[in-house]
Amino acid sequence: DAEITQSPRHKITETGRQVTLACHQTWNHNNMFWYRQDLGHGLRLIHYSYGVHDTNKGEVSDGYSVSRSNTEDLPLTLESAASSQTSVYFCASSEPGPQYEQYFGPGTRLTVT
Amino acid sequence: AQSVAQPEDQVNVAEGNPLTVKCTYSVSGNPYLFWYVQYPNRGLQFLLKYITGDNLVKGSYGFEAEFNKSQTSFHLKKPSALVSDSALYFCAVRDNSGNTPLVFGKGTRLSVIA
């Protein structure tokens, strides 16, 4: 069965370190998304991609970057981790077109100390 | 700009009673509306969506939602709640003009009490 996976599932890092969160999907979807989930804020969009070599900023993109070198993967990099980036991160993918739902990965819980 | 409001942070309902989780939206064009459910320590799972056609949409696990264009609402409903329905529910919207990301509400925590 097709799926979307994230790794690691849990990560503890120190302030100032660079961190990369992996997202891999086997749906062959062109669209991929990164969200963070925080209490009181719901889901907020960080970055998204509509295909290989395409990336776009979401509403909370500062301090984060993504790159899309193939269809299956969209890694999220925190350039210099800050305590404000402690959160749960979700990756999602979908087929192109507004009528299609997004499929979500299981999430990565990141703690920045 | 697109936006979603879920006016209740928490909804409590007794098992066997009907439940409603409210959602209102704002888009510039015609809306595509979605409901997702999140169980503890899990990702979001798709429940149902409204694209066009019948205003009453049926989805997974016995849930349904009613699209009301005049009230710009898309409330999630279930005739008889189960304890296992206890979870966090998210409403999401995008307009039909292009390939834009979903915009999510802040979520409503549903607690079904036995």
Side-chain angles (χ1 to χ4, degrees), chain A residues 84-102:
Chain A
S84 60
Q85 294 177 309
T86 292
S87 186
V88 181
Y89 292 85
F90 288 99
C91 180
S93 71
S94 75
E95 295 187 58
Q99 70 271 37
Y100 294 108
E101 60 271 24
Q102 293 174 187

Side-chain angles (χ1 to χ4, degrees), chain A residues 21-62:
Chain A
L21 309 183
C23 174
H24 179 80
Q25 52 98 3
T26 58
W27 293 96
N28 200 35
H29 286 160
N30 283 335
N31 295 357
M32 294 186 73
F33 311 87
W34 274 104
Y35 293 89
R36 59 178 289 176
Q37 183 178 20
D38 304 286
L39 197 63
H41 292 278
L43 285 168
R44 291 182 292 177
L45 184 65
I46 305 172
H47 281 287
Y48 58 103
S49 168
Y50 289 149
V52 176
H53 303 312
D54 175 73
T55 61
N56 304 278
K57 293 181 178 181
E59 70 174 294
V60 291
S61 61
D62 287 349

